[in-house]
Amino acid sequence: MTTANSPNGRRLTARGAKTRARIVSSAADLMFIQGVSATTLDEVLAASGASKSQLYHHFNGKEELVRAVVELVGQRVMERERDALGNVSTIRGLRRWRDALVQNNAVRHGAYGCALGSLASEVSDHDDLAREALAQLFAEWQGLLADVLRRLQDTGRLPSDASIEQLATGLMAALQGGYVLAQTARDVAPMVTSIDMALAHIESLSPR
């Protein structure tokens, strides 16, 4: 029978790995909608169809489960962003990236914000391991934006003395701030405005 190592060092059978993945996926979905604090282990058990003994076989408690959720959500977000940004080399491409994020958020009227941002706001003050994992994920996301801006610079669309890291930080801040404003307003319009202002600034630096 196929086995694999779990993050806590336990050996998992294929069935065990599937059960663990189902628990983490169910917890991630619930925590995205309800928040980490409001999501109970009993709710996770009900949503995943797992037993209490199965949950505690894979996780020592809620804190460990939340860390697994951070890992899963990070994988989902970064896979999406790598696909979306990996070949972008124009302002138009960045606007298409913006459009896709806004349209996805509009489906929920901005209700739940950014999956990573929502986790960060709840766990960063309580769990250093989760905070560090989230910091690495945000750094990777910002790095993808910086790579796009370097490509713009390499093709002459940004001046050679433009500060790529500062621009990437500003664009990431505009994105995350836009998510928060959309979440509180239940309207994606503030998200559109904040990202567009950042993109307009970047475009204004282009040599005329």
Side-chain angles (χ1 to χ4, degrees):
M1 181 177 294
T2 302
T3 61
N5 284 322
S6 71
N8 58 22
R10 298 188 182 101
R11 296 288 287 176
L12 296 180
T13 64
R15 179 179 293 179
K18 186 175 181 179
T19 298
R20 183 184 187 279
R22 190 170 69 249
I23 292 170
V24 177
S25 181
S26 297
D29 292 343
L30 286 170
M31 289 176 185
F32 182 50
I33 295 172
Q34 300 179 172
V36 174
S37 298
T39 298
T40 67
L41 292 181
D42 284 341
E43 289 173 323
V44 173
L45 292 175
S48 65
S51 66
K52 186 170 292 189
S53 63
Q54 286 175 315
L55 188 148
Y56 282 103
H57 174 73
H58 295 291
F59 306 100
N60 292 326
K62 186 174 179 179
E63 186 175 78
E64 197 171 282
L65 176 58
V66 170
R67 291 171 187 166
V69 167
V70 169
E71 181 180 7
L72 175 63
V73 172
Q75 289 172 350
R76 290 174 176 174
V77 171
M78 294 317 303
E79 182 177 347
R80 181 196 72 201
E81 293 303 292
R82 291 185 203 109
D83 288 344
L85 293 167
N87 295 312
V88 173
S89 58
T90 63
I91 291 291
R92 180 177 295 180
L94 278 174
R95 293 194 185 283
R96 285 196 295 267
W97 162 78
R98 183 271 269 167
D99 289 346
L101 290 177
V102 169
Q103 288 168 9
N104 184 60
N105 206 26
V107 172
R108 302 181 295 268
H109 304 290
Y112 312 125
C114 170
L116 286 182
S118 297
L119 285 170
S121 68
E122 288 206 65
V123 308
S124 292
D125 291 337
H126 310 292
D127 186 337
D128 279 343
L129 289 178
R131 179 189 59 76
E132 289 168 5
L134 285 160
Q136 290 174 2
L137 289 164
F138 278 117
E140 181 180 353
W141 194 348
Q142 186 171 310
L144 292 172
L145 292 171
D147 288 342
V148 173
L149 298 175
R150 287 190 188 94
R151 288 193 287 272
L152 288 172
Q153 196 172 55
D154 290 343
T155 55
R157 293 179 175 88
L158 280 177
S160 60
D161 61 350
S163 176
I164 297 303
E165 294 304 325
Q166 288 184 0
L167 291 173
T169 298
L171 183 52
M172 175 59 77
L175 170 62
Q176 292 303 318
Y179 268 121
V180 171
L181 293 174
Q183 185 176 13
T184 55
R186 291 294 191 268
D187 186 346
V188 293
M191 181 181 181
V192 173
T193 299
S194 63
I195 302 174
D196 279 354
M197 287 187 70
L199 292 179
H201 173 66
I202 292 169
E203 192 168 21
S204 74
L205 302 176
S206 300
R208 299 298 179 185

